[in-house]
mmCIF file with all atom_site columns, all heavy atoms in Angstrom:
data_model
loop_
_atom_site.group_PDB
_atom_site.id
_atom_site.type_symbol
_atom_site.label_atom_id
_atom_site.label_alt_id
_atom_site.label_comp_id
_atom_site.label_asym_id
_atom_site.label_entity_id
_atom_site.label_seq_id
_atom_site.pdbx_PDB_ins_code
_atom_site.Cartn_x
_atom_site.Cartn_y
_atom_site.Cartn_z
_atom_site.occupancy
_atom_site.B_iso_or_equiv
_atom_site.pdbx_formal_charge
_atom_site.auth_seq_id
_atom_site.auth_comp_id
_atom_site.auth_asym_id
_atom_site.auth_atom_id
_atom_site.pdbx_PDB_model_num
ATOM 1   N N   . TYR A 1 77 ? -77.706 21.512 61.069 1.00 0.00 ? 77 TYR A N   1
ATOM 2   C CA  . TYR A 1 77 ? -78.370 20.313 60.590 1.00 0.00 ? 77 TYR A CA  1
ATOM 3   C C   . TYR A 1 77 ? -77.797 19.046 61.208 1.00 0.00 ? 77 TYR A C   1
ATOM 4   O O   . TYR A 1 77 ? -76.630 18.977 61.559 1.00 0.00 ? 77 TYR A O   1
ATOM 5   C CB  . TYR A 1 77 ? -78.264 20.220 59.061 1.00 0.00 ? 77 TYR A CB  1
ATOM 6   C CG  . TYR A 1 77 ? -78.992 21.331 58.361 1.00 0.00 ? 77 TYR A CG  1
ATOM 7   C CD1 . TYR A 1 77 ? -78.324 22.488 57.970 1.00 0.00 ? 77 TYR A CD1 1
ATOM 8   C CD2 . TYR A 1 77 ? -80.352 21.233 58.105 1.00 0.00 ? 77 TYR A CD2 1
ATOM 9   C CE1 . TYR A 1 77 ? -79.003 23.516 57.326 1.00 0.00 ? 77 TYR A CE1 1
ATOM 10  C CE2 . TYR A 1 77 ? -81.042 22.262 57.471 1.00 0.00 ? 77 TYR A CE2 1
ATOM 11  C CZ  . TYR A 1 77 ? -80.360 23.389 57.078 1.00 0.00 ? 77 TYR A CZ  1
ATOM 12  O OH  . TYR A 1 77 ? -81.025 24.401 56.461 1.00 0.00 ? 77 TYR A OH  1
ATOM 13  N N   . ASP A 1 78 ? -78.651 18.029 61.285 1.00 0.00 ? 78 ASP A N   1
ATOM 14  C CA  . ASP A 1 78 ? -78.277 16.702 61.764 1.00 0.00 ? 78 ASP A CA  1
ATOM 15  C C   . ASP A 1 78 ? -78.288 15.769 60.554 1.00 0.00 ? 78 ASP A C   1
ATOM 16  O O   . ASP A 1 78 ? -79.350 15.428 60.034 1.00 0.00 ? 78 ASP A O   1
ATOM 17  C CB  . ASP A 1 78 ? -79.286 16.236 62.823 1.00 0.00 ? 78 ASP A CB  1
ATOM 18  C CG  . ASP A 1 78 ? -79.030 14.824 63.312 1.00 0.00 ? 78 ASP A CG  1
ATOM 19  O OD1 . ASP A 1 78 ? -78.020 14.217 62.912 1.00 0.00 ? 78 ASP A OD1 1
ATOM 20  O OD2 . ASP A 1 78 ? -79.846 14.324 64.103 1.00 0.00 ? 78 ASP A OD2 1
ATOM 21  N N   . TYR A 1 79 ? -77.099 15.347 60.113 1.00 0.00 ? 79 TYR A N   1
ATOM 22  C CA  . TYR A 1 79 ? -76.986 14.534 58.901 1.00 0.00 ? 79 TYR A CA  1
ATOM 23  C C   . TYR A 1 79 ? -77.498 13.113 59.085 1.00 0.00 ? 79 TYR A C   1
ATOM 24  O O   . TYR A 1 79 ? -77.707 12.410 58.113 1.00 0.00 ? 79 TYR A O   1
ATOM 25  C CB  . TYR A 1 79 ? -75.528 14.475 58.428 1.00 0.00 ? 79 TYR A CB  1
ATOM 26  C CG  . TYR A 1 79 ? -74.937 15.847 58.321 1.00 0.00 ? 79 TYR A CG  1
ATOM 27  C CD1 . TYR A 1 79 ? -74.083 16.326 59.300 1.00 0.00 ? 79 TYR A CD1 1
ATOM 28  C CD2 . TYR A 1 79 ? -75.273 16.675 57.271 1.00 0.00 ? 79 TYR A CD2 1
ATOM 29  C CE1 . TYR A 1 79 ? -73.574 17.606 59.227 1.00 0.00 ? 79 TYR A CE1 1
ATOM 30  C CE2 . TYR A 1 79 ? -74.768 17.951 57.197 1.00 0.00 ? 79 TYR A CE2 1
ATOM 31  C CZ  . TYR A 1 79 ? -73.920 18.409 58.169 1.00 0.00 ? 79 TYR A CZ  1
ATOM 32  O OH  . TYR A 1 79 ? -73.430 19.670 58.094 1.00 0.00 ? 79 TYR A OH  1
ATOM 33  N N   . THR A 1 80 ? -77.692 12.700 60.331 1.00 0.00 ? 80 THR A N   1
ATOM 34  C CA  . THR A 1 80 ? -78.193 11.346 60.559 1.00 0.00 ? 80 THR A CA  1
ATOM 35  C C   . THR A 1 80 ? -79.679 11.271 60.239 1.00 0.00 ? 80 THR A C   1
ATOM 36  O O   . THR A 1 80 ? -80.204 10.182 60.031 1.00 0.00 ? 80 THR A O   1
ATOM 37  C CB  . THR A 1 80 ? -77.945 10.894 62.012 1.00 0.00 ? 80 THR A CB  1
ATOM 38  O OG1 . THR A 1 80 ? -78.634 11.779 62.897 1.00 0.00 ? 80 THR A OG1 1
ATOM 39  C CG2 . THR A 1 80 ? -76.460 10.878 62.325 1.00 0.00 ? 80 THR A CG2 1
ATOM 40  N N   . GLN A 1 81 ? -80.358 12.385 60.197 1.00 0.00 ? 81 GLN A N   1
ATOM 41  C CA  . GLN A 1 81 ? -81.772 12.435 59.840 1.00 0.00 ? 81 GLN A CA  1
ATOM 42  C C   . GLN A 1 81 ? -81.882 12.729 58.348 1.00 0.00 ? 81 GLN A C   1
ATOM 43  O O   . GLN A 1 81 ? -81.443 13.783 57.889 1.00 0.00 ? 81 GLN A O   1
ATOM 44  C CB  . GLN A 1 81 ? -82.483 13.532 60.645 1.00 0.00 ? 81 GLN A CB  1
ATOM 45  C CG  . GLN A 1 81 ? -82.341 13.405 62.139 1.00 0.00 ? 81 GLN A CG  1
ATOM 46  C CD  . GLN A 1 81 ? -83.000 12.140 62.665 1.00 0.00 ? 81 GLN A CD  1
ATOM 47  O OE1 . GLN A 1 81 ? -84.120 11.815 62.287 1.00 0.00 ? 81 GLN A OE1 1
ATOM 48  N NE2 . GLN A 1 81 ? -82.289 11.414 63.510 1.00 0.00 ? 81 GLN A NE2 1
ATOM 49  N N   . GLU A 1 82 ? -82.481 11.801 57.592 1.00 0.00 ? 82 GLU A N   1
ATOM 50  C CA  . GLU A 1 82 ? -82.525 11.936 56.133 1.00 0.00 ? 82 GLU A CA  1
ATOM 51  C C   . GLU A 1 82 ? -83.188 13.231 55.683 1.00 0.00 ? 82 GLU A C   1
ATOM 52  O O   . GLU A 1 82 ? -82.698 13.902 54.779 1.00 0.00 ? 82 GLU A O   1
ATOM 53  C CB  . GLU A 1 82 ? -83.236 10.728 55.517 1.00 0.00 ? 82 GLU A CB  1
ATOM 54  C CG  . GLU A 1 82 ? -83.046 10.655 54.024 1.00 0.00 ? 82 GLU A CG  1
ATOM 55  C CD  . GLU A 1 82 ? -83.576 9.350  53.432 1.00 0.00 ? 82 GLU A CD  1
ATOM 56  O OE1 . GLU A 1 82 ? -83.521 8.319  54.114 1.00 0.00 ? 82 GLU A OE1 1
ATOM 57  O OE2 . GLU A 1 82 ? -84.028 9.399  52.279 1.00 0.00 ? 82 GLU A OE2 1
ATOM 58  N N   . LYS A 1 83 ? -84.289 13.611 56.332 1.00 0.00 ? 83 LYS A N   1
ATOM 59  C CA  . LYS A 1 83 ? -84.983 14.840 55.939 1.00 0.00 ? 83 LYS A CA  1
ATOM 60  C C   . LYS A 1 83 ? -84.113 16.066 56.197 1.00 0.00 ? 83 LYS A C   1
ATOM 61  O O   . LYS A 1 83 ? -84.079 16.997 55.405 1.00 0.00 ? 83 LYS A O   1
ATOM 62  C CB  . LYS A 1 83 ? -86.314 14.983 56.671 1.00 0.00 ? 83 LYS A CB  1
ATOM 63  C CG  . LYS A 1 83 ? -87.398 14.109 56.107 1.00 0.00 ? 83 LYS A CG  1
ATOM 64  C CD  . LYS A 1 83 ? -88.717 14.410 56.764 1.00 0.00 ? 83 LYS A CD  1
ATOM 65  C CE  . LYS A 1 83 ? -89.792 13.573 56.101 1.00 0.00 ? 83 LYS A CE  1
ATOM 66  N NZ  . LYS A 1 83 ? -91.124 13.907 56.563 1.00 0.00 ? 83 LYS A NZ  1
ATOM 67  N N   . GLU A 1 84 ? -83.392 16.063 57.304 1.00 0.00 ? 84 GLU A N   1
ATOM 68  C CA  . GLU A 1 84 ? -82.511 17.194 57.606 1.00 0.00 ? 84 GLU A CA  1
ATOM 69  C C   . GLU A 1 84 ? -81.329 17.225 56.643 1.00 0.00 ? 84 GLU A C   1
ATOM 70  O O   . GLU A 1 84 ? -80.883 18.290 56.246 1.00 0.00 ? 84 GLU A O   1
ATOM 71  C CB  . GLU A 1 84 ? -82.019 17.132 59.056 1.00 0.00 ? 84 GLU A CB  1
ATOM 72  C CG  . GLU A 1 84 ? -83.021 17.672 60.025 1.00 0.00 ? 84 GLU A CG  1
ATOM 73  C CD  . GLU A 1 84 ? -82.389 18.093 61.335 1.00 0.00 ? 84 GLU A CD  1
ATOM 74  O OE1 . GLU A 1 84 ? -81.285 18.681 61.334 1.00 0.00 ? 84 GLU A OE1 1
ATOM 75  O OE2 . GLU A 1 84 ? -83.018 17.831 62.361 1.00 0.00 ? 84 GLU A OE2 1
ATOM 76  N N   . ALA A 1 85 ? -80.814 16.057 56.294 1.00 0.00 ? 85 ALA A N   1
ATOM 77  C CA  . ALA A 1 85 ? -79.691 16.001 55.347 1.00 0.00 ? 85 ALA A CA  1
ATOM 78  C C   . ALA A 1 85 ? -80.128 16.575 54.002 1.00 0.00 ? 85 ALA A C   1
ATOM 79  O O   . ALA A 1 85 ? -79.385 17.337 53.370 1.00 0.00 ? 85 ALA A O   1
ATOM 80  C CB  . ALA A 1 85 ? -79.194 14.574 55.201 1.00 0.00 ? 85 ALA A CB  1
ATOM 81  N N   . LEU A 1 86 ? -81.315 16.226 53.558 1.00 0.00 ? 86 LEU A N   1
ATOM 82  C CA  . LEU A 1 86 ? -81.837 16.754 52.299 1.00 0.00 ? 86 LEU A CA  1
ATOM 83  C C   . LEU A 1 86 ? -82.069 18.262 52.392 1.00 0.00 ? 86 LEU A C   1
ATOM 84  O O   . LEU A 1 86 ? -81.718 19.008 51.478 1.00 0.00 ? 86 LEU A O   1
ATOM 85  C CB  . LEU A 1 86 ? -83.132 16.027 51.914 1.00 0.00 ? 86 LEU A CB  1
ATOM 86  C CG  . LEU A 1 86 ? -83.744 16.400 50.562 1.00 0.00 ? 86 LEU A CG  1
ATOM 87  C CD1 . LEU A 1 86 ? -82.775 16.083 49.423 1.00 0.00 ? 86 LEU A CD1 1
ATOM 88  C CD2 . LEU A 1 86 ? -85.060 15.673 50.360 1.00 0.00 ? 86 LEU A CD2 1
ATOM 89  N N   . ALA A 1 87 ? -82.629 18.719 53.512 1.00 0.00 ? 87 ALA A N   1
ATOM 90  C CA  . ALA A 1 87 ? -82.861 20.161 53.707 1.00 0.00 ? 87 ALA A CA  1
ATOM 91  C C   . ALA A 1 87 ? -81.538 20.914 53.732 1.00 0.00 ? 87 ALA A C   1
ATOM 92  O O   . ALA A 1 87 ? -81.422 22.001 53.161 1.00 0.00 ? 87 ALA A O   1
ATOM 93  C CB  . ALA A 1 87 ? -83.638 20.399 54.999 1.00 0.00 ? 87 ALA A CB  1
ATOM 94  N N   . MET A 1 88 ? -80.527 20.332 54.401 1.00 0.00 ? 88 MET A N   1
ATOM 95  C CA  . MET A 1 88 ? -79.209 20.965 54.465 1.00 0.00 ? 88 MET A CA  1
ATOM 96  C C   . MET A 1 88 ? -78.609 21.069 53.067 1.00 0.00 ? 88 MET A C   1
ATOM 97  O O   . MET A 1 88 ? -78.102 22.114 52.674 1.00 0.00 ? 88 MET A O   1
ATOM 98  C CB  . MET A 1 88 ? -78.285 20.157 55.379 1.00 0.00 ? 88 MET A CB  1
ATOM 99  C CG  . MET A 1 88 ? -76.869 20.672 55.497 1.00 0.00 ? 88 MET A CG  1
ATOM 100 S SD  . MET A 1 88 ? -75.680 20.105 54.246 1.00 0.00 ? 88 MET A SD  1
ATOM 101 C CE  . MET A 1 88 ? -75.898 18.362 54.261 1.00 0.00 ? 88 MET A CE  1
#
Side-chain angles (χ1 to χ4, degrees):
Y77 295 95
D78 176 5
Y79 309 102
T80 61
Q81 304 296 315
E82 193 172 328
K83 283 187 176 187
E84 279 201 40
L86 184 61
M88 178 273 310

